[in-house]
Amino acid sequence: MPEPYALLIEGGTIVDGSGERGFAAAVGVRDGRIELVYGPTDQIRAERRVDATERVVTPGFIDLHSHSGLMIFADPLHEPKVRQGVTTEVIGVDGLSYAPIPDPTDLEALAHINAGLDGRPDIAYDWSSVESYLDRLDGLRPSLNLAFMVGNSALRIGAMGWDEVVASADDLANMRAMLREAMEEGAIGVSSGLDYPPGAYASTEELAALTAEAARGGGFYHTHVRYDLGDRYLDPFREAIEIGRLGEGPAHITHFYHRQTFPDGPGPMLALVDDARADGQDVTFDTYPYEWASTRLLIMIPPWAQSGGPVQTKERLADAGVRDRIRREMAERGVLFAGRRAWDDVRIGAFTVPELIPWEGRTLGDVIADRGDDPVDVLCDLLLAEDLRVNQVTPGPWTETLRDFIRHPIGMIGTDSTFVGAKPSPRTYGSFPRVLGQFVREEALLSLEEAVRSMTSAPAARIGLDDRGLVRDGFVADLVVLDPERVRSNATYDEPRSYPDGIDRVVVGGTIVVEDGAHTGARPGRVLRRGG
Ligand SMILES: [Zn+2]
């Protein structure tokens, strides 16, 4: 007689992540791995039984874009994510990884300049290599699994500092060597965020060389594109695909979406991806299902003004001549300073200075109106007063075209979740449940099976996990038990820190992390190293 299962989830419908129709079976878990059990289960022994009658059992969701690389140290329970059913998330995105960074002063500076995006928890920043950083995360035992990308900003800082310069052949060789070592230590690829210096100073060719190195180690290129490039519509995405082609590696466009301000629709954007794939190139994308973007307020300051790192950036923000130049450039672009409305839509947060805390969750427009000062002066003054730390939430994906990306067969989910400020984008708490509740159940935009596939086996394949992302014999028991009639996001622009309904149970590596919709306090997560 076999040993009893540690866990048996019985009575439910399995939507196994393959995209195939759901079927009736029980899921037995032994040694953290799945065994499907067909037929009656009353004779099956288990230490723990979960009744999944009228529920759907799926693989755990995989989030291709998360900003938890520092904040998880302060909050390893990571409730906003596990309560959505996320069992693995990708960190080190947007070019902004916190390893490898050989010099502790540089690690300090990178955490400082990104505080409005990635937070700056009061922890010991006592790692430098990828191996030491991943060991720290493993030692933490977070509630979910993490997969790590090497950011190209980290590589640039290590090889050539913070300046706006062209990489020499030696610089390139150094960056490739650092990346090679990082891949050997378990990274899954290289990321870029081409709005964020110093990674933003990288050329197409430099990024192609890094992509080639990542691909050699079995990884891929994950990119927040250069939104300012060329026509500011298709050219940024053309460059991403070109980088994959030149580097002969997979290219993944993160937070791929269409803005209302673009000169034409989403069709030509998606056609770029479809055409590249038809040509045999491995191009994929993720998107987040909310209309609200979020990042550090510093993103409003042009890259040239950030050359040299945080100290020089602050010197420039204090300089009246620099402020004039920023004002001129922004006026020429006609995007941000076109009128009151642009300011109205920039909600700011993550304040720590007592006089500024009342502005938490208000808009930049409110502050400008209150102060009666020039907008650029208000912006620079706020950044200086908060030591660059401010977060912003702004309009992102257009409501009318969001669905084109969600239902596209290549589309996956990257929440782009941030964990700073009282009112982050609702995507941090609601992304996966919104797709399942609104787009699957209410609108029938795509089937439950197809949505689950895009959240599980598709991203598992993208990041190279060969024993996760499916409910299949021998696979790791990362699982979600959800109520298809009740699942929904409760996170909104006004109340973003609201947990979803209908995600009843979440299991990570065979351990129950969410039970009856509440966190159990369990922390079974670990780092999923490439090849590990
Ligand atoms: Zn991001």
Side-chain angles (χ1 to χ4, degrees), residues 64-124:
L64 285 161
H65 192 129
S66 182
H67 286 277
S68 61
L70 295 178
M71 289 301 277
I72 198 151
F73 287 105
D75 182 16
L77 294 178
H78 214 38
E79 203 161 355
K81 301 306 290 296
V82 295
R83 293 273 300 266
Q84 289 186 56
V86 177
T87 57
T88 296
E89 60 181 16
V90 173
I91 59 170
V93 293
D94 292 336
L96 304 172
S97 70
Y98 296 94
I101 301 184
D103 184 337
T105 319
D106 285 330
L107 178 57
E108 173 71 22
L110 189 62
H112 181 152
I113 207 160
N114 284 330
L117 174 59
D118 287 342
R120 201 180 177 197
D122 186 16
I123 55 169

Side-chain angles (χ1 to χ4, degrees), residues 168-208:
S168 69
D170 278 355
D171 295 331
L172 212 50
N174 284 337
M175 286 191 280
R176 289 187 71 143
M178 289 168 73
L179 178 56
R180 192 175 314 135
E181 191 178 331
M183 295 296 297
E184 285 162 5
E185 291 170 351
I188 60 166
V190 66
S191 77
S192 71
L194 302 176
D195 279 320
Y196 302 106
Y201 304 137
S203 68
T204 304
E205 292 70 27
E206 178 180 326
L207 293 162

Side-chain angles (χ1 to χ4, degrees), residues 273-287:
V273 171
D274 290 334
D275 291 351
R277 290 177 63 85
D279 285 347
Q281 212 185 315
D282 183 356
V283 179
T284 50
F285 69 84
D286 67 63
T287 196

Side-chain angles (χ1 to χ4, degrees), residues 436-456:
L436 296 169
Q438 183 179 344
F439 298 140
V440 171
R441 184 184 59 243
E442 291 172 15
E443 300 183 10
L445 181 72
L446 69 173
S447 69
L448 178 62
E449 286 84 352
E450 184 54 18
V452 169
R453 187 196 60 77
S454 77
M455 298 169 173
T456 58

Side-chain angles (χ1 to χ4, degrees), residues 65-67 93-94 117 196 224 254-255 294 416-418 427:
H65 192 129
S66 182
H67 286 277
V93 293
D94 292 336
L117 174 59
Y196 302 106
H224 162 138
T254 196
H255 46 62
S294 179
D416 204 349
S417 36
T418 57
R427 67 194 183 187

Side-chain angles (χ1 to χ4, degrees), residues 392-406:
Q392 66 169 34
V393 174
T394 57
W398 189 23
T399 307
E400 299 296 310
T401 55
L402 183 56
R403 289 164 185 78
D404 294 321
F405 295 81
I406 300 290

